[in-house]
Amino acid sequence: MLGEKHDLVTDFPHFSERIAEMRQQNADFKEMSQQYDDLDKQIRVLELNDSPISDMAFNRLKKHRAHLKDRLYHMLTH
């Protein structure tokens, strides 16, 4: 769905307390989660504004977001 938020708390509401805790206690998690949120916002803006970007570049952004999300999920569960 276009413009849908994919921030960590929205996608993992059952980890909301853990996400807040990790952002305070783990500098790597905090930095990576900020990168993830910034990238999610960038993708949402591109979707909503129908900004000119190639499909290849747009898919690269979405793949990078998915990769970050996988790494963050791994950090949350271990």
Side-chain angles (χ1 to χ4, degrees):
M1 207 167 173
L2 292 179
E4 189 173 318
K5 283 184 83 171
H6 287 283
D7 64 275
L8 291 178
V9 175
T10 298
D11 283 355
F12 304 124
H14 53 287
F15 282 122
S16 61
E17 289 180 24
R18 177 86 171 129
I19 290 167
E21 184 180 289
M22 292 280 291
R23 284 181 174 161
Q24 290 182 342
Q25 298 176 358
N26 185 315
D28 291 334
F29 184 89
K30 180 180 180 178
E31 181 179 337
M32 195 180 313
S33 67
Q34 185 61 53
Q35 288 175 9
Y36 176 85
D37 288 343
D38 291 345
L39 185 57
D40 180 56
K41 187 176 188 177
Q42 180 184 3
I43 291 169
R44 219 172 34 257
V45 167
L46 289 168
E47 288 175 335
L48 293 173
N49 293 330
D50 199 26
S51 297
I53 186 171
S54 71
D55 286 344
M56 184 184 300
F58 189 67
N59 286 332
R60 196 174 314 124
L61 290 174
K62 290 175 84 173
K63 285 180 183 179
H64 184 57
R65 179 179 65 184
H67 175 74
L68 284 173
K69 186 176 187 177
D70 287 346
R71 290 180 61 196
L72 290 163
Y73 181 78
H74 180 77
M75 291 174 82
L76 286 168
T77 58
H78 290 88

